[in-house]
Amino acid sequence: MIRTTIVIALVVVGTFFLTVGTIGLLRLPNVYNRMHATSKPTTLGTASMFLAGFVHFGPGAEGLTALVGILFLFLTIPTGSHMIARAAERIGVPFVEGVTWPDPDALERPPERTWDERALDPGDSRRYETGANRPGESGESKD
Amino acid sequence: MEAIVVTDPALLEVLSATQPSAPPAALETTVRAALVLAGILCVLASYRVIRGPTEPDRVIGLDAIATNVVAIAVLVALLTDRGLFITVSLVLAIIGFIATVAVAKFLTEGEVIE
């Protein structure tokens, strides 16, 4: 009886998170935002479903398979999302207005230059793009 | 060959104890509703696969569908009380991950295996 109640509660929670993930997939404005919306809630929802399976089947063979499924999801879904985000950035999908990549050098992929070369170059436009977002690395402070 | 009819109540009790018992009514109703909802969510995510403005949108939609199908397999395992479908869901998760990695590599480099 208690076991059935727990299984029902976990299934309801999992369905809720799957619904939230799909709504975010449909309504958010950008590839990166949509991926953020699908990866985390669907991970939680499917992990909740697997936990329901574990509670239902008990700690036997199938229950342990369900726990392995949770571990697998927590390992692979962030990896896959990261690879899709990287691919989207590589093929040039633009960000939402005002958002920059955490490391702008990786975004623009310049040829390898040392920090001193960049600081001495007055025509380096990346310094001015990054100065607002990275306090303490404005370039002039190196002089 | 005629059917065997068991009338002994004690034997009936033993037989019913060895059968896989049907899930309780509340659990069955919940799991069926969750199955229907997960199917609807798959159809809704296919909007992003068909319509998505860029290729990574389509990949994300397919990824969401794959995760929903994993959840559907677990729900089927709960509904039919067969643990085999938990293993099926694990295999589906592996296939979805490999598909995602392959498509991401294809989008980045233009080929998967060179």
Side-chain angles (χ1 to χ4, degrees):
Chain A
M1 185 59 203
I2 293 176
R3 200 181 63 176
T4 306
T5 311
I6 293 174
V7 169
I8 288 175
L10 285 172
V11 166
V12 168
V13 168
T15 313
F16 168 74
F17 276 116
L18 288 179
T19 312
V20 167
T22 307
I23 289 172
L25 174 70
L26 291 181
R27 291 193 56 91
L28 283 177
N30 202 358
V31 179
Y32 310 100
N33 299 359
R34 283 176 204 135
M35 184 187 49
H36 163 80
T38 58
S39 62
K40 270 150 281 200
T42 53
T43 308
L44 279 178
T46 316
S48 180
M49 295 284 187
F50 270 125
L51 268 184
F54 174 70
V55 173
H56 183 78
F57 289 109
E62 290 92 9
L64 288 182
T65 311
L67 289 186
V68 170
I70 292 177
L71 183 67
F72 186 80
L73 283 180
F74 270 79
L75 281 178
T76 57
I77 288 185
T79 311
S81 299
H82 174 75
M83 289 196 72
I84 296 171
R86 208 161 142 266
E89 188 268 317
R90 286 279 169 88
I91 69 174
V93 178
F95 293 142
V96 172
E97 186 91 16
V99 176
T100 56
W101 197 255
D103 186 5
D105 293 339
L107 180 64
E108 304 213 352
R109 280 185 298 283
E112 289 292 326
R113 300 170 76 192
T114 64
W115 182 266
D116 290 328
E117 281 176 353
R118 287 186 50 201
L120 290 175
D121 187 4
D124 193 353
S125 62
R126 284 187 300 277
R127 285 195 309 173
Y128 304 106
E129 289 178 5
T130 63
N133 292 320
R134 298 202 298 181
E137 288 185 317
S138 61
E140 281 81 8
S141 63
K142 296 291 285 185
D143 291 336
Chain B
M1 181 174 179
E2 50 187 272
I4 302 170
V5 180
V6 180
T7 54
D8 186 8
L11 187 56
L12 267 178
E13 191 172 344
V14 169
L15 280 178
S16 66
T18 55
Q19 293 286 326
S21 61
L27 177 62
E28 187 176 350
T29 309
T30 311
V31 172
R32 280 188 194 278
L35 272 173
V36 171
L37 192 57
I40 291 173
L41 291 182
C42 281
V43 176
L44 286 179
S46 72
Y47 170 81
R48 194 49 78 189
V49 178
I50 297 168
R51 192 54 202 290
T54 62
E55 279 79 14
D57 279 312
R58 300 171 207 269
V59 185
I60 292 168
L62 284 176
D63 208 13
I65 289 178
T67 317
N68 269 324
V69 169
V70 171
I72 284 175
V74 179
L75 286 174
V76 169
L78 289 178
L79 188 66
T80 62
D81 204 6
R82 285 182 189 160
L84 175 67
F85 287 101
I86 299 279
T87 314
V88 171
S89 71
L90 199 55
V91 173
L92 284 172
I94 293 171
I95 291 174
F97 173 62
I98 291 175
T100 303
V101 170
V103 176
K105 197 163 164 53
F106 177 74
L107 283 180
T108 309
E109 302 180 8
E111 58 189 351
V112 181
I113 302 169
E114 69 261 41

